[in-house]
Amino acid sequence: MLAVSKPAAAPLPPFPPEPDQGRSDRTDGLAEVRVEGARLRLVELPLVRPFTTSVGTDTVKTALLVELVGDGLRGWGECVADPGPSYFGETLVTARHVLTEYLLPEVVGSPRRPVADHLRRITWVRGHPMAQAALEMALLDLAGQATGRSLAQILGGVRVRVACGVSVGIEATVAATLRAVDGYCAEGYQRVKLKCRPGRDERVVAAVRRAFPTLPLTVDGNAAYTLADLAVLQRLDRYGLLMIEQPLAHDDLVDHARLQALLRTPVCLDESVPSVASARAAIALRAGGMINLKPGRVGGLLAAAAIHDLCGAAGWPTWVGGMLETGIGRAANVALASLPNNTLAGDTSASDRYFSEDLVAEPFRLGLDGTLAVPTRPGLGAEPDPERLARVTTWLERFTGPGTGHG
Ligand code: OSB
Ligand code: MG
């Protein structure tokens, strides 16, 4: 009889280590916390200038804030969901719904517990990472204050100041883009990211590169391209860009891998990495060369830190992105940016790049060297100015715990 033997399977490529879903040992040693009550609110801050990407234009920032109260402490979290689902699937309304109906009831009115236990109680909720991240931020703020540890210390930060870049929206003309870039460079920003879309890409990149030959420069397509646009993406390879951010579909990894194999410029993933597991898949597939860390997109600061660790082990640089946050979310982003593998300047710009008046008592100011100071006070190290908060709040809901209703 003929023996048919299976050919030996090719060895698997080295895979990144298993994810820990971000519920890491970073929470070891934090004091237990009790959450007696919570408030959700919407705040509206006008932007100093309209911000246009391939998916739309924003003129105002609307943020959903989570406020937790326990043991005389107050913890703050900022949810980065937008009014509509054009960048990401969550919206302000879905985040409110999930926080009110599912997430807050797990922690408000519950006994004093280690923060890791509070966080374990919200992991049964699938999806809705922006809602999860907002509650996690507020819990870490409480626990950090109760322990006397800053968020940067909790996450494993190693820097006291972090390098900052700026994300420049699509302007009406190339001349307007050049003026914007010139202004930000004069302020000291270390890197400029140009938002782009098909038809509004190479001409503006070429003009900015000509005017600023040595400026660290990147582009962000916000998923507006396909592999049918390969020719222009390959032409962008000529401009010495630090990276091309999320050119292809928001849920794609395979085509990004094909694209990366054809480009010298590293591809940076943003939308395509909504979790620790997807970061692991991206690394295994070589779907790029770096990842933009946004706590809201991946379910929290601990998950973002876990992705930071995975990327570090894989030799992928990371950097901290932004969602036009108020000073609350900005404090968390700046703490995250202080981690060691964040070797590229972030989209963590100063408060005045977004708002004429930030929500927090101490706005984030750009140093002459293009850096922001990492907050050092326990917890987030930032809280809203009460008078300003009252002025910009457009909706408020009190939450006292499961079974007691809310309203
Ligand atoms: O794609 O990085 C992005 C803002 C909103 C939504 C998505 C993105 C952005 C930015 C701005 O690029 C970054 C910032 O300055 O906060
Ligand atoms: Mg982006």
Side-chain angles (χ1 to χ4, degrees):
M1 224 184 119
L2 195 68
V4 180
S5 64
K6 218 170 127 199
L12 286 171
F15 273 4
E18 283 196 26
D20 67 357
Q21 299 305 329
R23 308 304 177 202
S24 63
D25 56 10
R26 288 182 162 97
T27 52
D28 289 354
L30 290 180
E32 300 190 354
V33 294
R34 189 158 67 102
V35 181
E36 290 150 46
R39 288 200 285 191
L40 289 181
R41 70 171 80 219
L42 288 170
V43 295
E44 268 184 36
L45 300 177
L47 293 172
V48 291
R49 63 196 298 171
F51 184 69
T52 298
T53 71
S54 68
V55 301
T57 298
D58 290 331
T59 56
V60 61
K61 170 68 187 181
T62 308
L64 175 64
L65 299 184
V66 178
E67 178 186 359
L68 302 179
V69 180
D71 293 330
L73 300 172
R74 206 169 286 273
W76 290 94
E78 176 169 345
C79 179
V80 296
D82 285 324
S86 58
Y87 162 78
F88 200 76
E90 289 178 86
T91 71
L92 286 168
V93 170
T94 68
R96 238 165 79 180
H97 165 66
V98 170
L99 278 159
T100 309
E101 301 300 325
Y102 305 109
L103 299 177
L104 286 171
E106 294 287 0
V107 304
V108 179
S110 63
R112 190 182 312 282
R113 294 195 167 103
V115 71
D117 290 0
H118 284 298
L119 294 174
R120 259 190 290 279
R121 293 181 66 91
I122 63 175
T123 50
W124 67 269
V125 173
R126 293 194 183 169
H128 308 284
M130 291 174 169
Q132 300 241 15
L135 180 55
E136 187 210 62
M137 191 189 301
L139 282 166
L140 290 176
D141 187 15
L142 271 188
Q145 290 177 54
T147 316
R149 227 185 263 178
S150 73
L151 185 58
Q153 285 172 329
I154 293 171
L155 296 176
V158 296
R159 290 177 243 278
V160 296
R161 301 190 68 89
V162 296
C164 297
V166 61
S167 176
V168 178
I170 299 172
E171 299 282 335
T173 62
V174 172
T177 305
L178 286 169
R179 272 195 302 277
V181 172
D182 195 43
Y184 291 129
C185 287
E187 286 183 57
Y189 285 104
Q190 298 190 16
R191 181 228 68 195
V192 166
K193 162 165 130 184
L194 301 172
K195 290 291 187 179
C196 66
R197 61 175 164 81
R200 300 298 302 277
D201 39 38
E202 193 185 3
R203 213 158 61 83
V204 65
V205 169
V208 172
R209 181 44 90 216
R210 199 175 314 119
F212 304 89
T214 61
L215 174 66
L217 190 62
T218 80
V219 292
D220 186 354
N222 283 112
Y225 295 82
T226 71
L227 284 183
D229 303 303
L230 182 61
V232 67
L233 295 170
Q234 282 186 308
R235 284 201 302 280
L236 290 178
D237 234 357
R238 299 175 188 161
Y239 296 93
L241 302 177
L242 278 178
M243 71 191 84
I244 298 181
E245 184 175 338
Q246 192 70 36
L248 308 179
H250 72 95
D251 55 355
D252 168 79
L253 291 175
V254 171
D255 282 355
H256 279 98
R258 292 166 67 191
L259 177 64
Q260 182 65 90
L262 297 168
L263 294 182
R264 265 184 301 136
T265 310
V267 170
C268 176
L269 298 174
D270 178 351
E271 286 90 326
S272 283
V273 177
S275 60
V276 178
S278 58
R280 195 166 169 243
I283 293 167
L285 275 170
R286 300 190 174 99
M290 50 180 78
I291 292 179
N292 163 336
L293 300 177
K294 291 182 183 174
R297 195 192 66 221
V298 300
L301 289 153
L302 295 172
I307 294 172
H308 160 278
D309 299 348
L310 283 172
C311 286
W316 284 29
T318 43
W319 55 278
V320 176
M323 294 290 291
L324 315 178
E325 287 90 345
T326 77
I328 298 298
R330 191 160 309 283
N333 285 345
V334 169
L336 180 64
S338 72
L339 269 62
N341 195 56
N342 294 323
T343 49
L344 296 165
D347 278 347
T348 47
S349 308
S351 294
D352 67 0
R353 178 258 173 272
Y354 309 93
F355 314 113
S356 57
E357 189 180 65
D358 201 339
L359 200 54
V360 291
E362 295 165 51
F364 284 86
R365 289 204 174 83
L366 195 71
L368 295 173
D369 59 348
T371 63
L372 291 184
V374 179
T376 54
R377 283 187 285 132
L380 210 48
E383 70 272 298
D385 174 83
E387 184 270 325
R388 277 179 228 165
L389 182 65
R391 210 168 355 106
V392 298
T393 296
T394 58
W395 172 87
L396 176 78
E397 185 173 60
R398 208 174 303 276
F399 193 87
T400 45
T404 56
H406 47 83

